[in-house]
Amino acid sequence: MEETRKNKILTIPNGLSVLRILMIPVFIWAYCFKQDYPMTAMVLVLSGLTDMADGYIARHFNMVSDFGKALDPVADKLTQFSMLVCLLTRFKLMFVPVLLIVIKELSTGISSLVVIKKTGAVMGADWHGKVTTFLLYGMMITHVLWYNIPSSASTLLISICVVMMLISFVMYIMRNINTLKKYKAESAEYK
């Protein structure tokens, strides 16, 4: 029964992750073309709420699946990357989190795939990833709504996010390395 649940694709949490991906063109249109910043912020808040809801529903109603563990962070990172690129049109310092998110996600994505291939373990987000997501959403929404944000406030918010992104990056890489070391040690023990 547990194995069937882990392999399930059609679940409410996975549907919410797909919904988040479908919201991306909406906030790009609202921000870049319509220049309706309250609407952009509303779509971002809704996206963030669906992110919290899918995690809550998955854990509390036993709908956690391996597919969901992979789809949820993809929806998160596509949303974050897309909004950061939109903000880059007005805030040049957004280049730093945009570049960092690309480097971080490629590196951790590749190392996570190695972990999955070697161990079969699909790991979800850790606390530092959730804090990073919360800070990124807060920073992005602030920049969307506060059109004339002072440069010092913008720099401070971006810097806080970048520091947390770096911390999370290092912690995810360490988690993946430790998982592989543990798997290698356990494999050697059974030989």
Side-chain angles (χ1 to χ4, degrees), residues 56-73:
Y56 177 83
I57 292 167
R59 286 185 301 277
H60 288 83
F61 296 98
N62 209 14
M63 293 184 187
V64 174
S65 66
D66 286 345
F67 181 74
K69 286 181 188 177
L71 181 63
D72 179 64

Side-chain angles (χ1 to χ4, degrees), residues 72-152:
D72 179 64
V74 168
D76 289 345
K77 299 317 165 200
L78 285 175
T79 299
Q80 293 163 10
F81 177 79
S82 300
M83 192 66 238
L84 287 170
V85 170
C86 288
L87 289 168
L88 183 58
T89 63
R90 286 189 31 235
F91 304 98
K92 297 306 171 204
L93 194 55
M94 289 293 173
F95 178 77
V96 177
V98 167
L99 182 62
L100 186 54
I101 207 168
V102 169
I103 293 168
K104 176 182 177 277
E105 295 313 316
L106 283 174
S107 301
T108 56
I110 290 168
S111 66
S112 293
L113 287 174
V114 171
V115 168
I116 292 168
K117 186 173 185 304
K118 296 256 184 201
T119 70
V122 180
M123 296 178 282
D126 284 345
W127 68 268
H128 49 84
K130 293 175 184 181
V131 170
T132 302
T133 298
F134 176 79
L135 289 173
L136 273 169
Y137 272 93
M139 183 270 294
M140 292 185 300
I141 290 167
T142 301
H143 279 81
V144 167
L145 290 176
W146 194 356
Y147 188 81
N148 294 317
I149 188 171
S151 178
S152 58

